[in-house]
Amino acid sequence: MAVARIALPVAVPAAFDYWIPEGLALERGALVRVRFARRALVGVVVGIAATSEVARERLQPVDEVIRDLPPLPDDLLALADFVSSYYQEPLGLVLAQMLPPLPAARDVAARSRPLAVALRLTAAGAEALAGSLGRAPRLRTLFDEWKAAPGFLLRIEAQAALPSHVRQAVRRWQAAGWVEPAPPDAAALQADGADGGAGAALTADQQSAVAALRAARGAFAPFLLQGVTGSGKTEVYLAAAAEHIAAGGQALILVPEINLTPQFEQRIAAALPGRRTVTLHSRLPAGERLRHWRAAAAGEADLVLGTRLAVFAPLPRLALVVVDEEHDPSFKQQDGVRYHGRDVAVWRARHRGVPIVLGSATPSLETLVHAQRGRYRWLKLPLRAFAPARLPRVVFLPSRDAGAAEGMGAPLLAAIEARLLRGEQSLVFINRRGFAPSLLCSSCGWQAGCPRCSARLVVHRDAGELRCHHCGHVERLPRACPECGNVDLLPLGHGTQRLERALIARFPGARIARVDRDSTRRKGAFAAVRDRVHAGDVDILVGTQMLAKGHDFPRLTLVGVLGADNALYSADFRATERLAALLFQVSGRAGRRDLPGEVIVQTDFPTHPLARALAAHDYQSFAEVLLAERRATMLPPFAHLALVVAEAPRRDAVDAFLGAASEAGRAVAAELSAAVEVFPPVPAGLARRAGLERGQVLAQAADRGAMQRFLPRWREAIAALPGRRVRWALDVDPLGFA
Ligand SMILES: [Zn+2]
Ligand SMILES: [Zn+2]
């Protein structure tokens, strides 16, 4: 009797045996449905054996082979093995992470129709639809967009974000002959080719980067592509991708943000006419994601563009991997399987024997050290690609200022006013949403705290609420102090809403837009603001780091930065690295075209090394300062860390559990003679969250091999600890402390 070893999405690091019914053809990598603890689960066959150690009568059969997806190829199974062993996560959970969401069986046929690259509105359609869409605003908007598009062409990827009733309407229109598939090369005409000088010839630096990638074809070769903001890294990726695709390969491009993909897709269409691109990210509708995954697996997609989960896309002809903004923390998954998308991408490129490019203006210290040691080839783009564009002038002003309006000093306000008069755009950046980060009683000193977290509640004046940004707790904004009855309650500090109000009061005629997680919650809201900025319908943008990345607003000439000092002296060892990346990114938004840019940073630490580096546009000098600190304190990239984080309703339960975990760690390290130091437990930075007490234990090793030998045994020892109601997780290469 043949037996299938099946990895199931359960938190047990073992595969399970099931017998294979007569006539059922199974191969390694196949997806199957089986019963597990009375539930039907989908698992992946990771092995086939002649016998099982489990008694025959206790084995259950494989119920069904799932044919919606092809069996996972060997290279993906190997990738899953690596992720499972490196990050100490059960193989079944890792494999589940790799798969697209599977639809109910009946939906498959309808959803797997082939994807047209672009649809064209026909003359008949333009006429028929013009008079018939009165009561359907979404369809009307789509139709108007379609009519306004050059050549009446609308790319199908833009439709992916549409609700299903709109997509169904488009299918009906296609059936009626009102829209029709357009030839692939026509799609390129519609794309916005203006970005970053796309379509223009590559600069000499860009050309030599592309040449280096060309020369690396067919073998593992890691590259760091370090280019100042606006230097045209994207043109290098796309030119290299075009060459590798022309030679018969597939390219994989990972980006940090979902919000970046629409813009990116347009540029890809312009750079790769006639090639098929699919996107993969978690907000894609399930059917779409499944279809894109299959297009990648079948080799029909030439390029896969996606967020960290796309690193697991099946790519039979993979020839080039790109990780854009490789320093971005969103490549690390912070719950479930805690993998780092960039690091997994490097492993995959090595395993598949293909070149990989890690691109950034502000590389992570890890990547920088690899480049300095010659393990990564270092390509540099030191100049902005658009010739007249100069790097912006950076000015530092004190945070406190007599003429300030809600934290914005008089010089910043004057600079904004000057932009308004010239018809240019300004961006005011503060990395804090809401109205004010806390509420204080001026009489007794009471501050509004979250009842479930060790955190202050944030004032959201628009909604008349206090909100906790850690657990989601919401309460009404009090009229009086609950302690002393005083009605004079002061919102302390500044958030985006408060700045927005102050700007509206100060510049009543200006068109002001706010961009943060609150203002962009509604689907499509972010894209709408971005389009308004591009169209010149916004004078002043105020927002959080959502605005810092990747966007290219041609008329934006002023960036004001507020509230940056908070992160300068944070307890989190990566806080300054992150702040540096953010400030360089956000400064890079200013003056990307022919208009000169200016950056005004309000800070009380104008002589901090970061401030000096920013003024000189010299990220490298600041990175050297950080590297020296990390070397002295034995922190990454000069040490390897693993963190056990735990939470429970009671503090004593967490402390006892983590105390035992720490002790077990020291015992394991001693037994293996592994040079791993395990520290005593400490409370998390946010000691209580959502009603749970939290703590952590850190393990540190100079040598990755020692850490990797140590981890499986430590995990086992922790799993065996008693700890009622304690939830814990192991975070390998954590981005920071909990
Ligand atoms: Zn009070
Ligand atoms: Zn809370």
Side-chain angles (χ1 to χ4, degrees), residues 441 443-446 481 483-486:
C441 169
S443 167
C444 75
W446 168 86
C481 171
E483 296 287 321
C484 73
N486 169 31

Side-chain angles (χ1 to χ4, degrees), residues 335-406:
D335 48 22
V337 177
R338 296 174 182 231
Y339 67 96
H340 198 300
R342 174 200 62 212
D343 297 347
V344 173
V346 172
W347 190 91
R348 191 171 185 194
R350 183 194 309 272
H351 182 243
R352 290 290 298 266
V354 300
I356 178 168
V357 193
L358 309 180
S360 178
T362 53
S364 65
L365 298 180
E366 278 78 1
T367 300
L368 216 43
V369 162
H370 283 315
Q372 285 173 342
R373 290 177 179 167
R375 295 181 58 186
Y376 291 1
R377 282 198 49 200
W378 203 341
L379 307 172
K380 293 177 187 173
L381 302 175
L383 301 173
R384 287 195 154 181
F386 188 71
R390 296 275 170 272
L391 289 163
R393 193 165 73 98
V394 183
V395 181
F396 298 95
L397 295 170
S399 316
R400 276 167 264 281
D401 166 340
E406 296 289 17

Side-chain angles (χ1 to χ4, degrees), residues 267-292:
R267 299 173 68 173
I268 289 171
L272 303 173
R275 301 300 187 185
R276 182 162 168 200
T277 297
V278 297
T279 52
L280 283 176
H281 55 79
S282 58
R283 284 205 242 160
L284 214 52
E288 209 89 17
R289 202 167 131 197
L290 175 65
R291 207 164 57 196
H292 290 184

Side-chain angles (χ1 to χ4, degrees), residues 403 405 408-421 424 426-428 499-513 539-542 558:
M408 289 174 288
L412 176 57
L413 293 168
I416 293 172
E417 186 156 29
R419 294 324 186 274
L420 282 172
L421 292 171
E424 296 168 13
S426 306
L427 161 64
V428 179
L499 295 184
E500 181 190 24
R501 284 197 184 202
L503 288 164
I504 290 171
R506 178 75 182 225
F507 304 112
R511 295 160 301 175
I512 298 170
D539 301 314
I540 307 173
L541 263 172
V542 46
L558 173 68

Side-chain angles (χ1 to χ4, degrees), residues 131-169:
S132 67
L133 294 171
R135 280 157 44 83
R138 293 297 302 254
L139 296 179
R140 164 62 64 183
T141 311
L142 178 68
F143 175 65
D144 288 343
E145 233 174 89
W146 220 316
K147 256 187 353 193
F152 285 6
L153 269 173
L154 207 59
R155 285 166 43 69
I156 198 99
E157 271 82 2
Q159 295 174 36
L162 297 173
S164 66
H165 78 273
V166 175
R167 287 206 304 274
Q168 276 164 19

